[in-house]
Amino acid sequence: MSVLLMIGLVFGAPLDVVAAARALEHPEARTGTLRRLADLTLAELRAARRGGLGYVVAQVAADATVDHVDRVLAVRAAAVLGGGPEVVEVLAPLTVADEAPEAVVRAREAARALSQLGEGGALDGALGHADPEVRALAAGAGAGGPERLCPLLSGDPWPRVRAAAARGLTFHPQQTGCLAEALKDAAPTVRMARARAAAEAPVPALRPALRAVAGDAAAPVEARAEALVALAGLGDVEPAGRVLDTHLAKGGIGPLALGAVRALARAGEVGRVRAALASKDLPVQLVAVRALAEAGDAASVPALEALRTTLRGRAREAVDDALRRLGAADPDDPAADDPE
């Protein structure tokens, strides 16, 4: 099969998987083929996976004789195509490569690909890479387990890596020894990452530390809001309720009140979420509107209808959508006023 014919089959519709695999062997056809693999239809993607094309492109990525750009494109294609243990085995060594600039780029791409494929266990070696982005990608995927992530969390000089380690520890929620320390980190991004991770995977042992963050006026508002949500996941809604009560009574603290509404909604405190409709802060109102619709709270319909009369534009549309989801009559429908 000539190169021109192969290229024609690769760029035809649908993709010819066999032709694509052969085209990857030819430098003059390789770049275009790899770019074509980034734009597959769902049917083509399934065919490419069935044909084992993920392993073929992974081998291109690992081939030191191939142009750097093509190797990077091949890693990205492998992240989409997958291919099981064979692909992981080929990509993993790229994440522990030397510190040459092009090798670092490939290490980042390979770490990102393995993370995307859900293969964090293959990134243990990358935790020791000199490049902080590679370390962060590996840590965020939960590589190494607590015995490797906890030292990164407390000792890596880069906040980005410490924040990633905080996220990665959610893969190991039974290990609580170092989690609370992340909530005391000097870097706001690290405290934020830990609070958000705790909201996604609450750990009972973190309750005292989360309470400390939620009540710390000097902490980043986003971290405090996520701490409120995490506490609600542990059944502790008193801090969120106190924040919302203060907001409704005095105004202000809107961003923190948003977290309080999310927390109360998570805990199923529908009545308290309904009270948030009385806020003078539109974002707080709209978060409450969505939460009530998701909870299926038909008792909130009168309050939503009253709120609707005060709103315009997209905000009113959001309330209309909530009312429809709750089975209320469309107030803009003339038939709604028809007694028949």
Side-chain angles (χ1 to χ4, degrees):
M1 183 184 298
S2 71
V3 174
L4 288 177
L5 177 56
M6 281 189 294
I7 292 175
L9 292 172
V10 167
F11 283 87
L15 170 80
D16 186 308
V17 176
V18 174
R22 292 182 179 176
L24 291 171
E25 300 173 2
H26 299 271
E28 63 270 38
R30 187 177 293 133
T31 303
T33 300
L34 289 168
R35 293 189 186 281
R36 171 72 171 89
L37 294 177
D39 189 30
L40 299 178
T41 65
L42 181 58
E44 289 173 333
L45 178 60
R46 289 171 175 165
R49 288 174 174 171
R50 286 195 301 271
L53 205 52
Y55 181 60
V56 177
V57 297
Q59 288 180 309
V60 172
D63 188 343
T65 67
V66 171
D67 177 76
H68 167 67
V69 172
D70 284 349
R71 294 180 72 183
V72 169
L73 291 173
V75 173
R76 293 174 181 174
V80 175
L81 295 170
E86 294 81 7
V87 169
V88 174
E89 185 177 352
V90 174
L91 294 182
L94 297 178
T95 68
V96 293
D98 59 52
E99 298 178 34
E102 290 186 345
V104 170
V105 172
R106 292 192 293 271
R108 292 174 179 177
E109 293 289 346
R112 191 172 291 111
L114 289 168
S115 178
Q116 182 177 326
L117 291 169
E119 298 289 350
L123 291 169
D124 289 4
L127 290 172
H129 201 285
D131 181 67
E133 184 170 344
V134 175
R135 295 200 303 279
L137 287 163
E147 61 274 12
R148 298 284 303 280
L149 293 175
C150 286
L152 282 179
L153 184 60
S154 60
D156 197 282
W158 290 81
R160 180 174 184 176
V161 178
R162 300 200 302 276
R167 292 192 300 273
L169 280 164
T170 60
F171 290 91
H172 315 280
Q174 72 282 7
Q175 302 292 333
T176 60
C178 66
L179 295 178
E181 293 304 309
L183 292 168
K184 305 174 186 176
D185 196 286
T189 54
V190 180
R191 298 201 298 276
M192 177 63 190
R194 181 60 260 167
R196 179 168 291 164
E200 295 174 0
V203 178
L206 287 180
R207 181 179 173 183
L210 288 167
R211 273 216 164 211
V213 171
D216 183 359
V221 172
E222 294 84 355
R224 296 180 67 191
E226 293 299 334
L228 293 175
V229 178
L231 286 166
L234 296 171
D236 184 356
V237 297
E238 191 271 336
R242 190 167 63 246
V243 166
L244 182 59
D245 289 344
T246 299
H247 169 72
L248 293 176
K250 301 179 180 180
I253 63 170
L256 192 56
L258 286 172
V261 175
R262 289 171 50 218
L264 293 166
R266 180 176 189 175
E269 297 279 342
V270 179
R272 306 195 75 176
V273 174
R274 195 183 308 140
L277 296 176
S279 169
K280 293 180 172 57
D281 190 312
L282 181 60
V284 174
Q285 291 175 329
L286 293 181
V287 166
V289 167
R290 287 192 293 271
L292 292 168
E294 290 169 3
D297 180 41
S300 68
V301 167
L304 289 170
E305 289 176 336
L307 175 63
R308 180 185 185 277
T309 64
T310 70
L311 302 176
R312 297 292 182 271
R314 292 185 178 179
R316 175 178 278 196
E317 290 174 4
V319 177
D320 287 344
D321 180 64
L323 288 168
R324 282 192 292 270
R325 291 172 66 181
L326 294 173
D330 186 347
D332 288 331
D333 183 357
D337 297 322
D338 186 347
E340 296 299 324

